[in-house]
Amino acid sequence: MIIIIYNYDERILDSRRRIKTMPMIDVYAPENLFPADADSELGTALAQAVLRAEGVASPGPFHLDNTAVFIHRLKSTAIHTGSTNSANNVRIQIITPPGSLNREGQRQITKEATEIVTRISGDDTLAKRTWVILTEAAEGGWGIQGTAFGIEEFTALAAQAAAAKAAQEKN
């Protein structure tokens, strides 16, 4: 079966039906790496950067309400490398629905996320110790509100958003 969407919401699905919303971001860092009051700045900057990389130029409430950043401040002894038992490294994992990031978007968010954590930490050498891991959820492996979202569910969501937008423009 082929589903053709004529009136999709381009803020949710693009013309190739790639999903452009709902990234989840996890930042794992030593507890003392960022200033104590930096979580809000870090979260906002990373959320905006991922949305830009997905091609969302003007994020609205739908995007902002469904983009989450989890900041995990770990004891320095909880981060190890092969050469040290107390590493000063950062791991950023960005999980997106399938197809959300094209190759240029992957490059963009990797660079920008590294720059953000380096700037906020105040440590110019942090870039070489920052790992950015991009992960796509499996088709149907993106759940919210008890629903496992796949192309079918995202298509329905896009249709609802388009209808709501049309009704709002009518009023």
Side-chain angles (χ1 to χ4, degrees):
M1 170 166 51
I2 298 174
I3 300 172
I4 300 174
I5 307 168
Y6 290 102
N7 189 20
Y8 66 90
D9 186 333
E10 69 278 357
R11 295 169 304 164
I12 299 172
L13 296 174
D14 69 12
S15 61
R16 291 179 21 212
R17 294 176 49 165
R18 289 182 309 171
I19 302 151
K20 299 181 357 177
T21 60
M22 301 179 161
M24 296 291 130
I25 306 157
D26 286 279
V27 179
Y28 300 89
E31 60 190 347
N32 60 352
L33 183 65
F34 302 113
D37 60 350
D39 289 0
S40 179
E41 179 185 5
L42 184 61
T44 299
L46 288 170
Q48 294 287 340
V50 172
L51 291 170
R52 280 192 301 275
E54 287 184 335
V56 180
S58 301
F62 176 83
H63 304 100
L64 300 174
D65 290 345
N66 289 292
T67 301
V69 181
F70 301 87
I71 300 169
H72 310 272
R73 291 178 178 257
L74 306 172
K75 292 183 186 251
S76 60
T77 57
I79 301 172
H80 303 265
T81 66
S83 63
T84 182
N85 287 331
S86 185
N88 200 24
N89 295 53
V90 175
R91 176 181 173 213
I92 303 167
Q93 182 169 13
I94 301 168
I95 305 169
T96 59
S100 294
L101 291 170
N102 61 24
R103 185 66 181 126
E104 185 54 37
Q106 292 170 338
R107 289 181 180 113
Q108 177 182 333
I109 190 53
T110 299
K111 181 178 188 287
E112 211 171 325
T114 300
E115 290 169 349
I116 289 166
V117 298
T118 299
R119 176 181 51 80
I120 292 175
S121 73
D123 178 355
D124 292 338
T125 68
L126 186 60
K128 65 182 178 184
R129 297 184 318 278
T130 299
W131 298 311
V132 179
I133 300 160
L134 306 176
T135 306
E136 281 191 355
E139 169 61 20
W142 195 264
I144 190 167
Q145 295 181 353
T147 299
F149 277 77
I151 292 295
E152 180 182 342
E153 291 80 13
F154 278 114
T155 300
L157 183 62
Q160 289 174 347
K165 180 180 177 184
Q168 185 180 33
E169 289 173 356
K170 207 176 201 183
N171 292 331

